[in-house]
Amino acid sequence: MTIHFVGIDPETDEDGCPTVWVDSATSDLLIQGYEADERTVTQCEALSPARVPIPPGEGIIRVPARMVSIIRKACDELDPGVR
């Protein structure tokens, strides 16, 4: 299996658990987060260089700032030369 777990929100509860995985075959990050509310999505669309709606199959997710170190760890796993 090429996908492996990197970390979970340290303040997770039983209802929601933002999580980060990496896919070593594609070097992709896989991130589970909270769905952004409509106001946030509208603001992101307005700030997009193309200024177009988010297409089907894509979405804006919100990841807690307390997970930055977990995301860095995932990036380091995918690019070990950047340490």
Side-chain angles (χ1 to χ4, degrees), residues 43-54:
Q43 289 177 350
C44 289
E45 289 173 338
L47 294 170
S48 167
R51 289 191 169 76
V52 296
I54 305 297

Side-chain angles (χ1 to χ4, degrees), residues 15-59:
D15 294 332
C17 47
T19 306
V20 179
W21 301 265
V22 296
D23 184 333
S24 57
T26 62
S27 295
D28 290 340
L29 292 177
L30 304 164
I31 300 176
Q32 174 183 336
Y34 303 110
E35 290 183 25
D37 61 33
E38 192 59 39
R39 181 173 180 232
T40 300
V41 171
T42 300
Q43 289 177 350
C44 289
E45 289 173 338
L47 294 170
S48 167
R51 289 191 169 76
V52 296
I54 305 297
E58 294 185 15

Side-chain angles (χ1 to χ4, degrees), residues 5 7-13 16-20 34 64 66-67 70:
F5 171 82
I8 193 167
D9 181 351
E11 294 184 18
T12 194
D13 58 25
C17 47
T19 306
V20 179
Y34 303 110
R66 61 185 170 263
M67 292 185 66
I70 294 169

